[in-house]
Amino acid sequence: MTDILDELQWRGLIAQHTDIDALRAALNEGSVTFYCGFDPTAPSLHHGHLVAVKVMRHLQMAGHHPLALVGGATGLIGDPRAKGERSLNTKDVVAGWARSLQAQLENLLDFEGDNPARIVNNLDWTGQMTAVDFLRDLGKHFRMGTMLSKDIVARRLASEEGISFTEFSYQILQANDYLELFRRYGCTLEVGGNDQWGNLVGGMDLIHKVEGESVHVMTNPLITKADGTKFGKTEGGAIWLNPQMLSPYAFYQFWLRVDDVDVVRFLKVFTFLDREEIERLERATQDNPKAREAQKVLAREVTTWVHGAAAVESAEAATQALWGRGELSDLDEATVLQATADLPTAQLEVGRSTIVDLLVAAGLEKGRSAARKTVAGGGAYLNNVKVEDEDRVVTKDDLLAGGVVLVRKGRRNLAVARQETPQA
């Protein structure tokens, strides 16, 4: 069996760590209890969280015990951001978001077997702490110079907004989480994103000061594209894991659009495929990039993990149908609506709207004259069928499930036309 740290290193999932030899020895000697924290600052996890969860799953599959901490308390405070103070959400909102994150984590980790995952909530111990307890039992172990030197704190202090005592104190609360989990569960490893390095080390130092014990921390890199830019975001916003916030179809499409220069690295990070298969897909990308086999596998693997096999089948059917390689009439309403949710949209009047009207209304052409030229040149399509008559009117028989029609210019410019009130 491959050493787990070597495996994580090969996959590009380790950024910083404490004594690597001591950590390797601990992981090889027996089962280690470790944790990673997730603050409910939104109703859903996003694709960036998947990196940390992948680290957790790899460690779990190697026989170690994961604790997934939902920050019911720290979510009320907010980890300092690079720019500006966070808005404080109500206790009810944060509690609701915490429940949502817990449900997602329960779907992503394994809660059965010899080393099942466990969900913990730091509100269970932080919520019982008084201000005097916080200052006496925790605050005395932290030095202002060290706290002020944290990169994010220093940047905020130098900014016009400054930083409140509330956000400044966040690092103490997170450090206390590690101490509590060490005491309650024998947790000796904390993992998390590389932007959390200072907070992770703070917890490690607190355990050493209070308990006289040595523990470990390890971070995963924040994933960027090959050009160094941030990896994520769609036109509609973040790559949420909640299907109500981002449809499984849109989620699948996000991974399908990954660039060739990034796809092998993302296969290592975001999938559980073995080295042999990833190396095969790397060769396939080099030999036949137009086939985009690696992207299809990436999209299938990640979407299956997050949304399930049925969602992948639906997304793949919709993808083929939308781009002319499948039968649109076979798609059900939910799939059609998911697949067209992020497309440019035009209003449709059945029996009155022509192909020219829709090309213009959807923004595929700037004016009616240009739209007519597109039709005359054979570049206009209604539901993937070429339209050669500029006066072609959309009829009730053209409607797909959900009361929509697809309008396309050329091969890649696609839009949807919707009725205000779909007809029966």
Side-chain angles (χ1 to χ4, degrees), residues 47-91:
H47 74 294
H49 293 112
L50 288 178
V51 184
V53 180
K54 277 291 182 183
V55 173
M56 296 182 74
R57 282 292 289 128
H58 281 294
L59 287 167
Q60 184 179 27
M61 290 188 297
H64 306 290
H65 290 265
L67 301 172
L69 183 145
V70 176
T74 43
L76 290 166
I77 303 303
D79 194 10
R81 297 183 301 182
K83 294 183 179 179
E85 197 83 5
R86 289 182 182 273
S87 298
L88 296 182
N89 296 294
T90 67
K91 291 182 179 180

Tab-separated table of all heavy atoms in Angstrom, residues 47-91:
chain	number	residue	atom	x	y	z
A	47	HIS	N	-17.094	24.202	-4.198
A	47	HIS	CA	-16.090	23.281	-4.747
A	47	HIS	C	-14.748	23.383	-4.034
A	47	HIS	O	-14.010	22.394	-3.959
A	47	HIS	CB	-15.902	23.554	-6.240
A	47	HIS	CG	-15.137	24.808	-6.528
A	47	HIS	ND1	-15.617	26.061	-6.230
A	47	HIS	CD2	-13.903	24.997	-7.067
A	47	HIS	CE1	-14.713	26.976	-6.582
A	47	HIS	NE2	-13.673	26.348	-7.090
A	48	GLY	N	-14.410	24.543	-3.477
A	48	GLY	CA	-13.152	24.681	-2.766
A	48	GLY	C	-13.081	23.793	-1.537
A	48	GLY	O	-12.014	23.273	-1.192
A	49	HIS	N	-14.230	23.607	-0.874
A	49	HIS	CA	-14.260	22.736	0.299
A	49	HIS	C	-13.970	21.278	-0.064
A	49	HIS	O	-13.546	20.493	0.788
A	49	HIS	CB	-15.632	22.813	0.978
A	49	HIS	CG	-15.931	24.143	1.595
A	49	HIS	ND1	-16.901	24.998	1.118
A	49	HIS	CD2	-15.370	24.776	2.665
A	49	HIS	CE1	-16.946	26.082	1.858
A	49	HIS	NE2	-16.030	25.984	2.798
A	50	LEU	N	-14.227	20.921	-1.324
A	50	LEU	CA	-14.010	19.534	-1.729
A	50	LEU	C	-12.545	19.118	-1.596
A	50	LEU	O	-12.254	17.935	-1.411
A	50	LEU	CB	-14.465	19.313	-3.171
A	50	LEU	CG	-15.971	19.322	-3.424
A	50	LEU	CD1	-16.253	19.148	-4.914
A	50	LEU	CD2	-16.662	18.226	-2.626
A	51	VAL	N	-11.632	20.075	-1.689
A	51	VAL	CA	-10.212	19.740	-1.573
A	51	VAL	C	-9.923	19.210	-0.170
A	51	VAL	O	-9.308	18.147	0.005
A	51	VAL	CB	-9.328	20.962	-1.888
A	51	VAL	CG1	-7.852	20.576	-1.850
A	51	VAL	CG2	-9.687	21.555	-3.247
A	52	ALA	N	-10.398	19.942	0.842
A	52	ALA	CA	-10.185	19.495	2.222
A	52	ALA	C	-10.911	18.185	2.488
A	52	ALA	O	-10.390	17.296	3.180
A	52	ALA	CB	-10.663	20.573	3.196
A	53	VAL	N	-12.127	18.029	1.945
A	53	VAL	CA	-12.871	16.792	2.154
A	53	VAL	C	-12.152	15.624	1.477
A	53	VAL	O	-12.151	14.496	1.990
A	53	VAL	CB	-14.315	16.924	1.641
A	53	VAL	CG1	-15.078	15.623	1.868
A	53	VAL	CG2	-15.039	18.055	2.353
A	54	LYS	N	-11.527	15.872	0.331
A	54	LYS	CA	-10.755	14.820	-0.331
A	54	LYS	C	-9.593	14.357	0.552
A	54	LYS	O	-9.314	13.164	0.668
A	54	LYS	CB	-10.210	15.314	-1.673
A	54	LYS	CG	-11.195	15.233	-2.818
A	54	LYS	CD	-11.471	13.797	-3.194
A	54	LYS	CE	-12.416	13.724	-4.382
A	54	LYS	NZ	-12.771	12.341	-4.730
A	55	VAL	N	-8.910	15.309	1.165
A	55	VAL	CA	-7.831	14.944	2.082
A	55	VAL	C	-8.385	14.068	3.201
A	55	VAL	O	-7.800	13.039	3.571
A	55	VAL	CB	-7.150	16.210	2.657
A	55	VAL	CG1	-6.146	15.823	3.749
A	55	VAL	CG2	-6.445	16.989	1.552
A	56	MET	N	-9.548	14.462	3.732
A	56	MET	CA	-10.169	13.683	4.795
A	56	MET	C	-10.499	12.265	4.335
A	56	MET	O	-10.264	11.286	5.054
A	56	MET	CB	-11.440	14.387	5.284
A	56	MET	CG	-11.212	15.743	5.933
A	56	MET	SD	-12.752	16.489	6.537
A	56	MET	CE	-13.061	15.483	7.999
A	57	ARG	N	-11.057	12.146	3.130
A	57	ARG	CA	-11.434	10.819	2.629
A	57	ARG	C	-10.210	9.942	2.389
A	57	ARG	O	-10.226	8.737	2.671
A	57	ARG	CB	-12.255	10.947	1.346
A	57	ARG	CG	-13.688	11.328	1.572
A	57	ARG	CD	-14.480	10.201	2.264
A	57	ARG	NE	-14.720	9.070	1.377
A	57	ARG	CZ	-14.430	7.803	1.667
A	57	ARG	NH1	-13.851	7.494	2.825
A	57	ARG	NH2	-14.701	6.835	0.818
A	58	HIS	N	-9.137	10.536	1.850
A	58	HIS	CA	-7.917	9.747	1.629
A	58	HIS	C	-7.359	9.242	2.962
A	58	HIS	O	-6.951	8.078	3.077
A	58	HIS	CB	-6.866	10.582	0.897
A	58	HIS	CG	-7.091	10.691	-0.576
A	58	HIS	ND1	-7.005	9.616	-1.425
A	58	HIS	CD2	-7.393	11.768	-1.362
A	58	HIS	CE1	-7.252	10.002	-2.670
A	58	HIS	NE2	-7.488	11.297	-2.650
A	59	LEU	N	-7.337	10.115	3.970
A	59	LEU	CA	-6.865	9.703	5.287
A	59	LEU	C	-7.788	8.643	5.879
A	59	LEU	O	-7.339	7.665	6.484
A	59	LEU	CB	-6.786	10.916	6.223
A	59	LEU	CG	-5.633	11.888	5.959
A	59	LEU	CD1	-5.839	13.187	6.722
A	59	LEU	CD2	-4.292	11.264	6.333
A	60	GLN	N	-9.100	8.818	5.685
A	60	GLN	CA	-10.055	7.840	6.200
A	60	GLN	C	-9.868	6.486	5.520
A	60	GLN	O	-9.884	5.441	6.179
A	60	GLN	CB	-11.485	8.343	6.006
A	60	GLN	CG	-12.532	7.419	6.605
A	60	GLN	CD	-13.949	7.936	6.435
A	60	GLN	OE1	-14.237	8.674	5.498
A	60	GLN	NE2	-14.839	7.546	7.342
A	61	MET	N	-9.686	6.490	4.201
A	61	MET	CA	-9.491	5.234	3.483
A	61	MET	C	-8.188	4.548	3.872
A	61	MET	O	-8.036	3.334	3.687
A	61	MET	CB	-9.544	5.486	1.975
A	61	MET	CG	-10.930	5.841	1.462
A	61	MET	SD	-11.072	5.917	-0.353
A	61	MET	CE	-9.944	7.248	-0.749
A	62	ALA	N	-7.248	5.334	4.419
A	62	ALA	CA	-5.987	4.756	4.898
A	62	ALA	C	-6.110	4.256	6.333
A	62	ALA	O	-5.113	3.820	6.918
A	62	ALA	CB	-4.867	5.789	4.795
A	63	GLY	N	-7.322	4.338	6.902
A	63	GLY	CA	-7.555	3.764	8.225
A	63	GLY	C	-7.642	4.742	9.377
A	63	GLY	O	-7.709	4.331	10.542
A	64	HIS	N	-7.663	6.034	9.105
A	64	HIS	CA	-7.669	7.029	10.169
A	64	HIS	C	-9.079	7.575	10.410
A	64	HIS	O	-9.955	7.481	9.552
A	64	HIS	CB	-6.674	8.132	9.836
A	64	HIS	CG	-5.298	7.606	9.562
A	64	HIS	ND1	-4.503	7.076	10.548
A	64	HIS	CD2	-4.598	7.463	8.392
A	64	HIS	CE1	-3.357	6.652	10.020
A	64	HIS	NE2	-3.391	6.864	8.709
A	65	HIS	N	-9.295	8.155	11.589
A	65	HIS	CA	-10.632	8.552	12.041
A	65	HIS	C	-10.875	10.046	11.806
A	65	HIS	O	-10.224	10.883	12.435
A	65	HIS	CB	-10.792	8.251	13.535
A	65	HIS	CG	-10.861	6.793	13.850
A	65	HIS	ND1	-12.054	6.110	13.984
A	65	HIS	CD2	-9.892	5.878	14.046
A	65	HIS	CE1	-11.816	4.841	14.258
A	65	HIS	NE2	-10.508	4.665	14.301
A	66	PRO	N	-11.846	10.401	10.949
A	66	PRO	CA	-12.118	11.812	10.677
A	66	PRO	C	-13.196	12.416	11.588
A	66	PRO	O	-14.228	11.797	11.857
A	66	PRO	CB	-12.608	11.800	9.220
A	66	PRO	CG	-13.147	10.423	8.993
A	66	PRO	CD	-12.550	9.512	10.017
A	67	LEU	N	-12.927	13.609	12.052
A	67	LEU	CA	-13.915	14.445	12.723
A	67	LEU	C	-14.193	15.636	11.811
A	67	LEU	O	-13.277	16.389	11.484
A	67	LEU	CB	-13.383	14.946	14.071
A	67	LEU	CG	-12.974	13.899	15.108
A	67	LEU	CD1	-12.300	14.582	16.295
A	67	LEU	CD2	-14.177	13.091	15.564
A	68	ALA	N	-15.434	15.778	11.387
A	68	ALA	CA	-15.813	16.928	10.571
A	68	ALA	C	-16.478	17.944	11.495
A	68	ALA	O	-17.567	17.696	12.019
A	68	ALA	CB	-16.764	16.511	9.453
A	69	LEU	N	-15.795	19.054	11.728
A	69	LEU	CA	-16.304	20.056	12.652
A	69	LEU	C	-17.122	21.095	11.901
A	69	LEU	O	-16.627	21.736	10.966
A	69	LEU	CB	-15.154	20.727	13.390
A	69	LEU	CG	-15.549	21.758	14.450
A	69	LEU	CD1	-14.578	21.730	15.622
A	69	LEU	CD2	-15.608	23.178	13.886
A	70	VAL	N	-18.380	21.250	12.298
A	70	VAL	CA	-19.222	22.319	11.774
A	70	VAL	C	-19.173	23.462	12.777
A	70	VAL	O	-19.488	23.271	13.957
A	70	VAL	CB	-20.668	21.828	11.562
A	70	VAL	CG1	-21.560	22.981	11.110
A	70	VAL	CG2	-20.699	20.704	10.539
A	71	GLY	N	-18.777	24.630	12.302
A	71	GLY	CA	-18.531	25.758	13.204
A	71	GLY	C	-19.774	26.532	13.588
A	71	GLY	O	-19.930	27.698	13.194
A	72	GLY	N	-20.636	25.915	14.398
A	72	GLY	CA	-21.829	26.613	14.843
A	72	GLY	C	-21.509	27.834	15.672
A	72	GLY	O	-22.288	28.800	15.697
A	73	ALA	N	-20.355	27.828	16.357
A	73	ALA	CA	-19.923	28.982	17.147
A	73	ALA	C	-19.055	29.926	16.317
A	73	ALA	O	-19.327	31.132	16.235
A	73	ALA	CB	-19.148	28.514	18.378
A	74	THR	N	-18.013	29.385	15.680
A	74	THR	CA	-17.123	30.244	14.890
A	74	THR	C	-17.846	30.856	13.694
A	74	THR	O	-17.481	31.934	13.219
A	74	THR	CB	-15.897	29.450	14.410
A	74	THR	OG1	-16.316	28.153	13.949
A	74	THR	CG2	-14.892	29.275	15.540
A	75	GLY	N	-18.914	30.200	13.206
A	75	GLY	CA	-19.705	30.776	12.130
A	75	GLY	C	-20.456	32.024	12.559
A	75	GLY	O	-20.855	32.842	11.721
A	76	LEU	N	-20.674	32.172	13.867
A	76	LEU	CA	-21.312	33.383	14.391
A	76	LEU	C	-20.343	34.552	14.443
A	76	LEU	O	-20.758	35.713	14.536
A	76	LEU	CB	-21.858	33.113	15.802
A	76	LEU	CG	-23.065	32.177	15.903
A	76	LEU	CD1	-23.281	31.740	17.348
A	76	LEU	CD2	-24.306	32.868	15.358
A	77	ILE	N	-19.049	34.238	14.400
A	77	ILE	CA	-18.009	35.263	14.519
A	77	ILE	C	-17.442	35.644	13.157
A	77	ILE	O	-17.418	36.807	12.768
A	77	ILE	CB	-16.866	34.767	15.443
A	77	ILE	CG1	-17.422	34.389	16.816
A	77	ILE	CG2	-15.761	35.807	15.552
A	77	ILE	CD1	-18.157	35.500	17.515
A	78	GLY	N	-16.968	34.658	12.437
A	78	GLY	CA	-16.417	34.903	11.111
A	78	GLY	C	-14.914	35.049	11.101
A	78	GLY	O	-14.347	35.882	11.814
A	79	ASP	N	-14.266	34.180	10.332
A	79	ASP	CA	-12.828	34.260	10.137
A	79	ASP	C	-12.506	35.554	9.387
A	79	ASP	O	-13.188	35.887	8.411
A	79	ASP	CB	-12.379	33.043	9.317
A	79	ASP	CG	-10.890	32.845	9.346
A	79	ASP	OD1	-10.208	33.530	10.139
A	79	ASP	OD2	-10.389	32.017	8.575
A	80	PRO	N	-11.504	36.313	9.819
A	80	PRO	CA	-11.187	37.567	9.126
A	80	PRO	C	-10.927	37.369	7.639
A	80	PRO	O	-10.234	36.426	7.237
A	80	PRO	CB	-9.920	38.049	9.837
A	80	PRO	CG	-9.980	37.428	11.186
A	80	PRO	CD	-10.629	36.093	10.979
A	81	ARG	N	-11.487	38.237	6.839
A	81	ARG	CA	-11.259	38.220	5.400
A	81	ARG	C	-10.195	39.244	5.038
A	81	ARG	O	-9.879	40.140	5.817
A	81	ARG	CB	-12.554	38.548	4.649
A	81	ARG	CG	-13.660	37.548	4.871
A	81	ARG	CD	-14.881	37.888	4.042
A	81	ARG	NE	-15.406	39.215	4.364
A	81	ARG	CZ	-16.497	39.744	3.815
A	81	ARG	NH1	-17.159	39.065	2.901
A	81	ARG	NH2	-16.919	40.938	4.162
A	82	ALA	N	-9.666	39.120	3.828
A	82	ALA	CA	-8.627	40.058	3.394
A	82	ALA	C	-9.178	41.471	3.275
A	82	ALA	O	-8.473	42.453	3.538
A	82	ALA	CB	-8.047	39.603	2.056
A	83	LYS	N	-10.447	41.589	2.888
A	83	LYS	CA	-11.039	42.917	2.692
A	83	LYS	C	-12.350	43.029	3.452
A	83	LYS	O	-13.297	42.297	3.185
A	83	LYS	CB	-11.305	43.168	1.205
A	83	LYS	CG	-10.048	43.264	0.363
A	83	LYS	CD	-10.384	43.599	-1.096
A	83	LYS	CE	-9.130	43.708	-1.934
A	83	LYS	NZ	-9.442	44.022	-3.358
A	84	GLY	N	-12.393	43.923	4.398
A	84	GLY	CA	-13.643	44.283	5.045
A	84	GLY	C	-14.152	43.311	6.081
A	84	GLY	O	-13.880	42.115	6.042
A	85	GLU	N	-14.890	43.863	7.040
A	85	GLU	CA	-15.480	43.080	8.114
A	85	GLU	C	-16.652	42.259	7.590
A	85	GLU	O	-17.419	42.695	6.735
A	85	GLU	CB	-15.983	44.039	9.199
A	85	GLU	CG	-16.252	43.406	10.537
A	85	GLU	CD	-15.006	43.245	11.392
A	85	GLU	OE1	-13.919	43.714	10.979
A	85	GLU	OE2	-15.121	42.632	12.466
A	86	ARG	N	-16.794	41.056	8.111
A	86	ARG	CA	-17.934	40.229	7.744
A	86	ARG	C	-19.211	40.772	8.382
A	86	ARG	O	-19.180	41.316	9.489
A	86	ARG	CB	-17.732	38.792	8.230
A	86	ARG	CG	-16.672	38.009	7.497
A	86	ARG	CD	-16.607	36.589	8.027
A	86	ARG	NE	-15.561	35.809	7.389
A	86	ARG	CZ	-15.704	35.132	6.260
A	86	ARG	NH1	-16.865	35.152	5.645
A	86	ARG	NH2	-14.708	34.447	5.747
A	87	SER	N	-20.329	40.561	7.710
A	87	SER	CA	-21.627	40.859	8.305
A	87	SER	C	-22.004	39.708	9.219
A	87	SER	O	-21.881	38.536	8.847
A	87	SER	CB	-22.697	41.034	7.216
A	87	SER	OG	-22.379	42.131	6.371
A	88	LEU	N	-22.441	40.031	10.419
A	88	LEU	CA	-22.808	38.986	11.372
A	88	LEU	C	-24.230	38.517	11.096
A	88	LEU	O	-25.162	39.318	11.074
A	88	LEU	CB	-22.694	39.515	12.799
A	88	LEU	CG	-21.282	39.906	13.258
A	88	LEU	CD1	-21.304	40.381	14.717
A	88	LEU	CD2	-20.316	38.740	13.111
A	89	ASN	N	-24.388	37.230	10.888
A	89	ASN	CA	-25.708	36.663	10.657
A	89	ASN	C	-26.359	36.290	11.985
A	89	ASN	O	-25.688	36.114	13.003
A	89	ASN	CB	-25.593	35.418	9.772
A	89	ASN	CG	-25.072	35.740	8.392
A	89	ASN	OD1	-25.721	36.423	7.623
A	89	ASN	ND2	-23.869	35.254	8.085
A	90	THR	N	-27.686	36.167	11.976
A	90	THR	CA	-28.398	35.838	13.207
A	90	THR	C	-28.092	34.401	13.621
A	90	THR	O	-27.661	33.568	12.816
A	90	THR	CB	-29.915	35.986	13.029
A	90	THR	OG1	-30.376	34.988	12.109
A	90	THR	CG2	-30.271	37.368	12.500
A	91	LYS	N	-28.349	34.113	14.903
A	91	LYS	CA	-28.100	32.767	15.406
A	91	LYS	C	-28.950	31.737	14.680
A	91	LYS	O	-28.490	30.617	14.405
A	91	LYS	CB	-28.377	32.719	16.903
A	91	LYS	CG	-27.361	33.509	17.731
A	91	LYS	CD	-27.652	33.393	19.229
A	91	LYS	CE	-26.604	34.162	20.032
A	91	LYS	NZ	-26.872	34.070	21.506
